[in-house]
Amino acid sequence: AWFDCVVVDAPCSGEGMFRKDAEARAEWSEANVMACAARQDAILEAAYALLKPGGRLVYSTCTFAVEENEAAVERLLARFPDLEVGSAHLHPAWQPGLASDEADPVRLTARLWPHRLQGEGHFLALLYKAGNGEAPSQLLQTESKIYTAADKELQAFAAEVLYELPPGPYLRFGNKVFQVMPTTPVLDGLRLLRPGWPLGEVRKGRFIPDHSLALGLRAEQVQRCHNLAASDPDVISYLSGQTLATDLPNGWAIVCVDGFPLGWGKVTRGVLKNHYPKGLRWRR
């Protein structure tokens, strides 16, 4: 119960894709529709649990099946009476959800018919959770520990490279170090990519800064900055993964364009070794 908005693009029977997807037509069955509806109920229940009071839940499918659309919303409202349907009519071509009664809240959901717009068949519902928007104050529950002070590797890196250490608390997730919020929610049972701002990782007793740390800093926060003009050909060279010549002293440095950070480099004897992530590098 911590997120302002949860968006569920649910796996469905795919009836809205029949026009262009032969595989969706071949896989369809009444049993599959009911299996999808049951799975969607479980997904929506999990989404509700993540949503904080006052938050929004967006639910969408690419099917025409009532069981997976309006009926799914009705089942959700029956389980959680603190949910209220909001208007999802964001475009004139979107039609009201299927309901016999004009006062039925599912009329506020939206049907996207492929013969009325440029696209396929879809369904969209917007729901609000009652409350004042305050999330419960829950501290992190995980096998890793939260530290109010940075460990020695991060402190040593900050003393050499930064003018000021990003404030804590900090979380060690294996070898990786993150800055987290003091009220980070309960994480048990969640598959996490990042529990906070990735600062870097500890390798063989040394701190290696993360690319995300560079992007979250300003040039004046770093002791060594190799600043380039936007018109400088070295900008493309750096983004392509090449080394650069520099007059900076040895050590970690941030590469900037007109004061805005691009990423890290490490200077050794007048050569800035490129630490721009390989997956982001430009190809000439």
Side-chain angles (χ1 to χ4, degrees):
W2 193 73
F3 291 93
D4 296 297
C5 183
V6 178
V7 180
V8 176
D9 182 21
C12 65
S13 57
E15 295 175 0
M17 299 290 109
F18 280 5
R19 183 173 69 92
K20 71 170 189 177
D21 192 339
E23 186 176 345
R25 296 195 297 270
E27 291 181 350
W28 185 90
S29 69
E30 292 185 14
N32 187 38
V33 169
M34 300 314 296
C36 287
R39 180 169 52 195
Q40 290 151 4
D41 287 349
I43 292 172
L44 285 170
E45 186 165 333
Y48 171 87
L50 294 172
L51 194 64
K52 77 177 184 181
R56 294 172 295 161
L57 172 60
V58 180
Y59 175 66
S60 69
T61 72
C62 57
T63 188
F64 300 128
V66 174
E67 296 87 349
E68 303 175 61
N69 293 339
E70 290 88 355
V73 173
E74 290 173 343
R75 294 191 300 272
L76 186 65
L77 294 173
R79 294 200 303 278
F80 303 108
D82 59 337
L83 286 175
E84 179 181 347
V85 182
S87 176
H89 299 157
L90 304 177
H91 190 278
W94 297 9
Q95 303 296 302
L98 300 179
S100 56
D101 186 352
E102 290 284 341
D104 192 327
V106 301
R107 293 275 299 176
L108 295 174
T109 63
R111 285 238 169 193
L112 285 65
W113 299 104
H115 63 291
R116 294 181 178 272
L117 47 78
Q118 292 183 344
E120 307 306 318
H122 299 278
F123 171 83
L124 180 70
L126 172 64
L127 301 104
Y128 293 93
K129 191 174 189 178
N132 57 10
E134 292 185 4
S137 179
Q138 295 175 309
L139 292 179
L140 188 75
Q141 293 184 10
T142 174
E143 295 179 359
S144 301
K145 293 182 180 180
I146 285 184
Y147 300 91
T148 55
D151 53 27
K152 61 181 182 181
E153 294 88 357
L154 178 55
Q155 287 181 350
F157 170 83
E160 176 196 349
V161 179
L162 306 177
Y163 287 115
E164 184 179 2
L165 180 67
Y170 309 97
L171 171 68
R172 282 287 294 267
F173 230 58
N175 290 332
K176 296 185 180 295
V177 181
F178 297 85
Q179 181 202 60
V180 296
M181 296 175 62
T183 56
T184 298
V186 175
L187 302 179
D188 295 345
L190 295 178
R191 178 178 174 271
L192 285 177
L193 297 179
R194 297 183 180 94
W197 182 20
L199 302 180
E201 63 178 302
V202 177
R203 300 180 197 163
K204 298 180 180 180
R206 293 179 299 173
F207 185 83
I208 309 299
D210 193 275
H211 182 61
S212 296
L213 174 59
L215 299 185
L217 295 171
R218 299 186 304 275
E220 59 267 24
Q221 293 177 291
V222 184
Q223 296 182 29
R224 289 180 288 274
C225 176
H226 187 78
N227 193 35
L228 301 169
S231 58
D232 193 322
D234 277 355
V235 174
I236 303 302
S237 297
Y238 176 77
L239 293 172
S240 302
Q242 299 179 34
T243 58
L244 303 179
T246 183
D247 56 2
L248 292 174
N250 291 350
W252 286 101
I254 199 168
V255 178
C256 294
V257 174
D258 294 337
F260 294 97
L262 286 183
W264 292 105
K266 195 167 187 182
V267 180
T268 303
R269 298 172 187 171
V271 176
L272 186 142
K273 183 180 178 182
N274 198 308
H275 281 262
Y276 194 68
K278 292 182 179 179
L280 300 179
R281 291 179 182 178
W282 293 21
R283 296 181 180 179
R284 293 192 175 189

